[in-house]
Protein backbone atom coordinates (compact mmCIF):
# COMPACT_ATOMS: atom_id res chain seq x y z
CA UNK A 1 0.00 0.00 0.00
CA UNK A 2 2.84 2.42 0.79
CA UNK A 3 4.29 1.90 -2.68
CA UNK A 4 0.98 3.01 -4.15
CA UNK A 5 0.79 6.02 -1.83
CA UNK A 6 4.38 7.07 -0.95
CA UNK A 7 3.23 10.24 0.82
CA UNK A 8 2.05 7.97 3.65
CA UNK A 9 5.59 6.78 4.35
CA UNK A 10 6.55 9.66 6.67
CA UNK A 11 3.48 9.57 8.96
CA UNK A 12 3.57 5.76 9.00
CA UNK A 13 7.25 5.84 9.97
CA UNK A 14 6.59 8.29 12.79
CA UNK A 15 3.73 6.19 14.13
CA UNK A 16 5.79 3.01 13.95
CA UNK A 17 8.68 4.70 15.80
CA UNK A 18 6.30 5.90 18.51
CA UNK A 19 4.87 2.42 18.98
CA UNK A 20 8.29 0.78 19.11
CA UNK A 21 9.61 3.27 21.66
CA UNK A 22 6.56 2.83 23.89
CA UNK A 23 6.34 -0.96 23.54
CA UNK A 24 6.88 -2.83 26.79
CA UNK A 25 9.40 -5.53 26.02
CA UNK A 26 10.65 -7.40 22.96
CA UNK A 27 7.51 -9.54 22.72
CA UNK A 28 5.31 -6.48 22.21
CA UNK A 29 7.69 -5.23 19.52
CA UNK A 30 7.59 -8.57 17.68
CA UNK A 31 3.79 -8.51 17.78
CA UNK A 32 3.74 -4.97 16.38
CA UNK A 33 6.20 -5.79 13.60
CA UNK A 34 4.35 -9.00 12.68
CA UNK A 35 1.25 -6.87 12.21
CA UNK A 36 3.19 -4.55 9.92
CA UNK A 37 4.22 -7.63 7.92
CA UNK A 38 0.52 -8.64 7.73
CA UNK A 39 1.17 -11.63 9.99
CA UNK A 40 -1.15 -10.92 12.90
CA UNK A 41 -0.22 -12.89 16.03
CA UNK A 42 -2.36 -14.06 18.93
CA UNK A 43 -1.55 -13.10 22.56
CA UNK A 44 0.52 -15.85 24.18
CA UNK A 45 -0.80 -17.96 27.05
CA UNK A 46 1.79 -18.98 29.61
CA UNK A 47 1.43 -22.71 30.40
CA UNK A 48 1.46 -24.09 33.93
CA UNK A 49 4.89 -24.82 35.32
CA UNK A 50 6.34 -28.31 35.64
CA UNK A 51 8.21 -29.10 38.90
CA UNK A 52 11.97 -29.60 38.41
CA UNK A 53 14.12 -31.46 40.90
CA UNK A 54 17.73 -30.27 41.12
CA UNK A 55 20.11 -28.84 43.68
CA UNK A 56 19.54 -25.20 42.80
CA UNK A 57 18.32 -22.06 44.60
CA UNK A 58 14.55 -21.74 44.80
CA UNK A 59 14.37 -18.84 42.31
CA UNK A 60 16.25 -20.81 39.65
CA UNK A 61 14.08 -23.89 40.17
CA UNK A 62 10.97 -21.76 39.74
CA UNK A 63 12.43 -20.27 36.57
CA UNK A 64 13.17 -23.71 35.12
CA UNK A 65 9.70 -25.02 35.98
CA UNK A 66 8.22 -22.43 33.60
CA UNK A 67 10.92 -22.65 30.93
CA UNK A 68 10.44 -26.39 30.48
CA UNK A 69 6.85 -26.35 29.10
CA UNK A 70 7.52 -23.13 27.15
CA UNK A 71 10.53 -24.58 25.34
CA UNK A 72 8.73 -27.85 24.74
CA UNK A 73 5.60 -26.24 23.24
CA UNK A 74 7.35 -23.48 21.31
CA UNK A 75 10.02 -25.86 20.04
CA UNK A 76 7.38 -28.28 18.75
CA UNK A 77 5.59 -25.45 16.91
CA UNK A 78 8.81 -24.27 15.25
CA UNK A 79 9.83 -27.80 14.26
CA UNK A 80 6.42 -28.36 12.64
CA UNK A 81 6.60 -25.08 10.69
CA UNK A 82 10.14 -25.76 9.48
CA UNK A 83 9.47 -29.43 8.65
CA UNK A 84 6.78 -28.27 6.20
CA UNK A 85 9.57 -26.78 4.05
CA UNK A 86 11.63 -29.48 2.28
CA UNK A 87 15.26 -29.50 3.38
CA UNK A 88 16.66 -28.75 -0.13
CA UNK A 89 14.36 -25.70 -0.29
CA UNK A 90 15.54 -24.47 3.11
CA UNK A 91 19.16 -24.89 2.05
CA UNK A 92 18.60 -23.04 -1.22
CA UNK A 93 16.81 -20.18 0.53
CA UNK A 94 19.50 -19.74 3.18
CA UNK A 95 22.31 -19.84 0.62
CA UNK A 96 20.54 -17.38 -1.65
CA UNK A 97 19.88 -14.83 1.07
CA UNK A 98 23.25 -15.35 2.73
CA UNK A 99 24.91 -14.28 -0.52
CA UNK A 100 22.51 -11.37 -0.97
CA UNK A 101 22.88 -10.13 2.59
CA UNK A 102 26.66 -10.38 2.90
CA UNK A 103 27.60 -8.70 -0.39
CA UNK A 104 28.99 -11.92 -1.85
CA UNK A 105 29.80 -12.19 -5.54
CA UNK A 106 27.09 -13.88 -7.66
CA UNK A 107 27.74 -17.58 -8.25
CA UNK A 108 26.64 -18.71 -11.73
CA UNK A 109 26.30 -22.21 -10.29
CA UNK A 110 23.19 -21.02 -8.44
CA UNK A 111 21.35 -20.76 -11.76
CA UNK A 112 19.43 -23.64 -13.27
CA UNK A 113 20.11 -24.46 -16.91
CA UNK A 114 18.76 -21.69 -19.12
CA UNK A 115 17.64 -19.61 -16.13
CA UNK A 116 18.32 -15.87 -15.93
CA UNK A 117 19.13 -14.07 -12.69
CA UNK A 118 15.74 -12.36 -12.77
CA UNK A 119 13.96 -15.67 -13.23
CA UNK A 120 15.92 -17.15 -10.36
CA UNK A 121 15.09 -14.25 -8.05
CA UNK A 122 11.39 -14.64 -8.83
CA UNK A 123 11.56 -18.38 -8.25
CA UNK A 124 13.32 -17.96 -4.90
CA UNK A 125 10.83 -15.28 -3.88
CA UNK A 126 7.97 -17.69 -4.54
CA UNK A 127 9.69 -20.33 -2.39
CA UNK A 128 10.24 -17.81 0.41
CA UNK A 129 6.59 -16.80 0.44
CA UNK A 130 5.64 -20.43 1.05
CA UNK A 131 7.42 -20.56 4.43
CA UNK A 132 5.09 -20.56 7.46
CA UNK A 133 6.69 -17.49 9.02
CA UNK A 134 3.63 -16.59 11.09
CA UNK A 135 3.82 -19.89 12.97
CA UNK A 136 7.49 -19.32 13.78
CA UNK A 137 6.88 -15.78 15.04
CA UNK A 138 3.88 -16.95 17.07
CA UNK A 139 6.09 -19.58 18.70
CA UNK A 140 8.61 -16.88 19.65
CA UNK A 141 6.18 -14.91 21.84
CA UNK A 142 6.16 -17.21 24.88
CA UNK A 143 9.95 -17.52 25.27
CA UNK A 144 10.26 -13.78 24.60
CA UNK A 145 7.83 -13.03 27.40
CA UNK A 146 9.56 -15.41 29.78
CA UNK A 147 13.09 -14.21 29.04
CA UNK A 148 12.00 -10.60 29.53
CA UNK A 149 10.53 -11.39 32.95
CA UNK A 150 13.52 -13.40 34.10
CA UNK A 151 16.13 -10.77 33.32
CA UNK A 152 14.60 -8.96 36.32
CA UNK A 153 15.66 -11.78 38.65
CA UNK A 154 18.31 -10.88 41.21
CA UNK A 155 21.41 -13.09 41.01
CA UNK A 156 21.34 -15.77 43.76
CA UNK A 157 23.02 -14.80 47.02
CA UNK A 158 24.41 -18.30 47.51
CA UNK A 159 27.00 -19.97 45.25
CA UNK A 160 25.68 -22.02 42.34
CA UNK A 161 27.57 -24.88 40.69
CA UNK A 162 27.28 -25.55 36.92
CA UNK A 163 24.72 -28.14 35.90
CA UNK A 164 23.43 -29.72 32.68
CA UNK A 165 19.93 -31.20 32.51
CA UNK A 166 18.02 -33.17 29.86
CA UNK A 167 14.31 -33.01 30.67
CA UNK A 168 11.59 -34.23 28.31
CA UNK A 169 13.81 -33.65 25.27
CA UNK A 170 14.82 -30.14 26.40
CA UNK A 171 18.52 -29.48 27.03
CA UNK A 172 19.25 -26.96 29.79
CA UNK A 173 22.59 -25.63 31.05
CA UNK A 174 22.86 -23.76 34.35
CA UNK A 175 25.99 -21.71 34.81
CA UNK A 176 27.74 -21.02 38.09
CA UNK A 177 27.98 -17.77 40.01
CA UNK A 178 31.64 -17.68 38.97
CA UNK A 179 33.28 -17.19 35.58
CA UNK A 180 32.13 -19.78 33.04
CA UNK A 181 32.77 -20.63 29.40
CA UNK A 182 29.90 -21.95 27.30
CA UNK A 183 30.67 -23.61 23.98
CA UNK A 184 28.11 -26.43 23.64
CA UNK A 185 24.60 -26.21 22.20
CA UNK A 186 21.58 -26.15 24.51
CA UNK A 187 17.95 -25.11 24.27
CA UNK A 188 18.41 -22.89 27.34
CA UNK A 189 21.51 -21.48 29.01
CA UNK A 190 20.68 -19.74 32.28
CA UNK A 191 23.64 -18.12 34.00
CA UNK A 192 23.27 -16.44 37.42
CA UNK A 193 26.49 -14.41 37.43
CA UNK A 194 30.19 -14.11 36.75
CA UNK A 195 32.24 -12.80 33.84
CA UNK A 196 31.41 -15.42 31.24
CA UNK A 197 32.51 -16.29 27.71
CA UNK A 198 30.10 -17.67 25.12
CA UNK A 199 31.36 -19.09 21.85
CA UNK A 200 30.93 -21.82 19.24
CA UNK A 201 27.87 -24.04 19.31
CA UNK A 202 26.43 -22.22 22.32
CA UNK A 203 25.75 -19.25 20.03
CA UNK A 204 25.27 -20.86 16.62
CA UNK A 205 21.81 -20.70 15.04
CA UNK A 206 20.03 -24.06 14.96
CA UNK A 207 17.27 -24.26 12.33
CA UNK A 208 14.06 -25.85 13.55
CA UNK A 209 14.62 -24.94 17.19
CA UNK A 210 13.97 -22.41 19.93
CA UNK A 211 17.14 -21.47 21.79
CA UNK A 212 17.60 -18.97 24.60
CA UNK A 213 20.44 -17.53 26.66
CA UNK A 214 19.61 -15.58 29.82
CA UNK A 215 22.59 -14.12 31.68
CA UNK A 216 21.77 -12.28 34.91
CA UNK A 217 25.04 -10.51 35.75
CA UNK A 218 28.71 -10.04 34.90
CA UNK A 219 30.92 -8.53 32.23
CA UNK A 220 30.41 -11.12 29.53
CA UNK A 221 31.88 -11.77 26.09
CA UNK A 222 29.93 -13.28 23.22
CA UNK A 223 32.35 -14.38 20.52
CA UNK A 224 31.02 -15.84 17.28
CA UNK A 225 32.30 -16.55 13.79
CA UNK A 226 30.71 -17.31 10.43
CA UNK A 227 27.13 -16.70 9.35
CA UNK A 228 24.26 -17.14 11.79
CA UNK A 229 25.13 -16.74 15.46
CA UNK A 230 24.49 -14.86 18.72
CA UNK A 231 20.80 -14.05 18.51
CA UNK A 232 20.24 -15.21 14.93
CA UNK A 233 16.88 -16.84 14.23
CA UNK A 234 17.38 -18.75 10.96
CA UNK A 235 14.38 -20.98 10.30
CA UNK A 236 13.93 -20.81 14.06
CA UNK A 237 13.95 -18.63 17.17
CA UNK A 238 17.08 -17.40 18.94
CA UNK A 239 17.06 -15.18 22.03
CA UNK A 240 20.08 -13.68 23.79
CA UNK A 241 19.17 -11.73 26.93
CA UNK A 242 21.77 -10.12 29.19
CA UNK A 243 20.56 -8.33 32.33
CA UNK A 244 23.65 -6.45 33.53
CA UNK A 245 27.34 -5.81 33.03
CA UNK A 246 29.67 -4.21 30.52
CA UNK A 247 29.45 -6.77 27.74
CA UNK A 248 31.14 -7.33 24.38
CA UNK A 249 29.28 -8.86 21.43
CA UNK A 250 31.78 -9.66 18.67
CA UNK A 251 30.52 -11.40 15.54
CA UNK A 252 30.87 -11.64 11.77
CA UNK A 253 27.76 -11.99 9.55
CA UNK A 254 24.12 -12.73 10.36
CA UNK A 255 24.35 -12.05 14.08
CA UNK A 256 23.34 -9.86 17.04
CA UNK A 257 19.58 -9.80 16.62
CA UNK A 258 18.68 -10.99 13.12
CA UNK A 259 15.83 -12.97 11.61
CA UNK A 260 15.98 -14.97 8.38
CA UNK A 261 12.81 -17.02 8.11
CA UNK A 262 12.69 -16.68 11.87
CA UNK A 263 13.00 -14.42 14.88
CA UNK A 264 16.28 -13.32 16.47
CA UNK A 265 16.47 -11.02 19.49
CA UNK A 266 19.41 -9.59 21.42
CA UNK A 267 18.28 -7.70 24.54
CA UNK A 268 20.79 -6.02 26.86
CA UNK A 269 19.26 -4.23 29.84
CA UNK A 270 22.22 -2.26 31.19
CA UNK A 271 25.94 -1.61 31.00
CA UNK A 272 28.43 0.03 28.66
CA UNK A 273 28.46 -2.47 25.82
CA UNK A 274 30.29 -3.04 22.54
CA UNK A 275 28.55 -4.48 19.48
CA UNK A 276 30.75 -5.34 16.49
CA UNK A 277 29.81 -7.29 13.37
CA UNK A 278 30.16 -7.06 9.60
CA UNK A 279 27.07 -7.68 7.49
CA UNK A 280 23.38 -8.40 8.16
CA UNK A 281 23.60 -7.70 11.86
CA UNK A 282 22.43 -5.59 14.80
CA UNK A 283 18.69 -5.55 14.23
CA UNK A 284 18.23 -6.82 10.67
CA UNK A 285 15.84 -9.22 8.97
CA UNK A 286 14.59 -10.74 5.75
CA UNK A 287 11.42 -12.83 5.88
CA UNK A 288 11.56 -12.54 9.63
CA UNK A 289 12.03 -10.20 12.57
CA UNK A 290 15.38 -9.12 14.03
CA UNK A 291 15.74 -6.96 17.16
CA UNK A 292 18.65 -5.45 19.02
CA UNK A 293 17.41 -3.68 22.16
CA UNK A 294 19.65 -1.90 24.66
CA UNK A 295 18.02 -0.16 27.60
CA UNK A 296 20.92 1.78 29.13
CA UNK A 297 24.61 2.58 29.02
CA UNK A 298 27.19 4.26 26.81
CA UNK A 299 27.39 1.79 23.94
CA UNK A 300 29.40 1.35 20.75
CA UNK A 301 27.79 -0.09 17.60
CA UNK A 302 30.03 -0.95 14.64
CA UNK A 303 28.98 -2.74 11.45
CA UNK A 304 29.71 -2.60 7.72
CA UNK A 305 26.75 -3.57 5.57
CA UNK A 306 22.97 -4.11 5.77
CA UNK A 307 22.88 -3.61 9.53
CA UNK A 308 21.57 -1.49 12.40
CA UNK A 309 17.81 -1.39 11.82
CA UNK A 310 17.67 -2.88 8.32
CA UNK A 311 14.63 -4.51 6.78
CA UNK A 312 15.27 -6.57 3.65
CA UNK A 313 12.54 -8.22 1.57
CA UNK A 314 9.80 -9.55 3.83
CA UNK A 315 11.61 -8.55 7.00
CA UNK A 316 11.52 -6.02 9.84
CA UNK A 317 14.71 -5.02 11.64
CA UNK A 318 14.86 -2.78 14.71
CA UNK A 319 17.69 -1.32 16.77
CA UNK A 320 16.26 0.40 19.84
CA UNK A 321 18.62 2.07 22.33
CA UNK A 322 16.66 3.75 25.14
CA UNK A 323 19.36 5.87 26.78
CA UNK A 324 23.05 6.69 27.05
CA UNK A 325 25.76 8.42 25.03
CA UNK A 326 26.20 5.97 22.16
CA UNK A 327 28.27 5.75 18.98
CA UNK A 328 26.93 4.19 15.77
CA UNK A 329 28.98 3.57 12.64
CA UNK A 330 28.53 1.45 9.54
CA UNK A 331 30.16 1.38 6.14
CA UNK A 332 33.48 2.42 4.63
CA UNK A 333 34.54 -1.16 3.93
CA UNK A 334 32.12 -2.91 1.53
CA UNK A 335 32.42 -2.12 -2.20
CA UNK A 336 29.17 -0.92 -3.76
CA UNK A 337 27.49 -4.09 -5.11
CA UNK A 338 26.47 -2.21 -8.27
CA UNK A 339 30.13 -2.14 -9.33
CA UNK A 340 30.90 1.54 -9.03
CA UNK A 341 34.65 2.08 -8.74
CA UNK A 342 35.95 3.44 -5.43
CA UNK A 343 32.46 3.69 -3.98
CA UNK A 344 31.29 1.96 -0.84
CA UNK A 345 27.84 1.20 0.45
CA UNK A 346 26.52 0.40 3.90
CA UNK A 347 22.72 0.37 3.42
CA UNK A 348 22.35 0.56 7.21
CA UNK A 349 20.78 2.60 10.00
CA UNK A 350 17.15 2.60 8.96
CA UNK A 351 17.48 1.06 5.48
CA UNK A 352 14.53 -0.74 3.88
CA UNK A 353 14.40 -2.96 0.77
CA UNK A 354 11.13 -4.32 -0.64
Amino acid sequence: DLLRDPLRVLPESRETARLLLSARGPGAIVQELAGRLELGLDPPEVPAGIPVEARLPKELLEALSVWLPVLRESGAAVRAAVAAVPEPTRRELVEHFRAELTNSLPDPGRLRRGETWTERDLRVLALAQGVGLRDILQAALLPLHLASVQTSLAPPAEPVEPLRLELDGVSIVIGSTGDDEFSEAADLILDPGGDDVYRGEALRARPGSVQAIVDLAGDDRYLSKGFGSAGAGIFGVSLLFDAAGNDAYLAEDGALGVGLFGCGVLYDRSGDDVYRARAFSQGAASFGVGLLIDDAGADLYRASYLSQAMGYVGGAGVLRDASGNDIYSSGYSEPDPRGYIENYGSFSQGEVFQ
Side-chain angles (χ1 to χ4, degrees), residues 166-224:
E166 297 286 339
L167 300 170
D168 293 338
V170 177
S171 58
I172 300 172
V173 172
I174 307 297
S176 75
T177 45
D179 301 342
D180 301 309
E181 179 167 329
F182 301 95
S183 59
E184 297 183 1
D187 297 315
L188 170 67
I189 299 176
L190 178 58
D191 186 82
D195 299 339
D196 308 306
V197 177
Y198 297 80
R199 64 173 84 241
E201 295 302 315
L203 296 175
R204 197 176 314 282
R206 292 186 289 123
S209 71
V210 175
Q211 56 193 121
I213 295 173
V214 179
D215 190 294
L216 299 180
D219 298 338
D220 308 305
R221 289 183 294 156
Y222 300 86
L223 312 175
S224 59

Side-chain angles (χ1 to χ4, degrees), residues 5 46 52 77 132 156 175 177 195 227-228 233 236 247 261 267 276 279 283 288 330 340:
D5 187 5
V46 180
V52 175
T177 45
D195 299 339
F227 181 85
D247 308 305
F261 301 100
Y267 180 28
R276 292 185 183 272
S330 184
Y340 299 142

Side-chain angles (χ1 to χ4, degrees), residues 274-300:
V274 175
Y275 303 89
R276 292 185 183 272
R278 193 184 74 89
F280 190 52
S281 65
Q282 300 176 17
S286 182
F287 288 99
V289 171
L291 308 182
L292 196 171
I293 302 173
D294 188 294
D295 280 350
D299 309 304
L300 171 65

Side-chain angles (χ1 to χ4, degrees), residues 33-34 36-39 97 101 125 128-129 131 133-134 137 259-262 280 284-290 310-317 352-354:
L33 295 176
R36 300 282 167 160
L37 295 172
E38 300 180 354
L39 300 169
F97 283 96
L101 297 166
L125 181 61
Q129 291 172 329
V131 175
L133 181 58
R134 183 195 177 278
L137 296 182
L260 180 61
F261 301 100
F280 190 52
S286 182
F287 288 99
V289 171
M310 191 286 301
Y312 205 69
V313 179
V352 176
F353 294 82
Q354 291 295 343

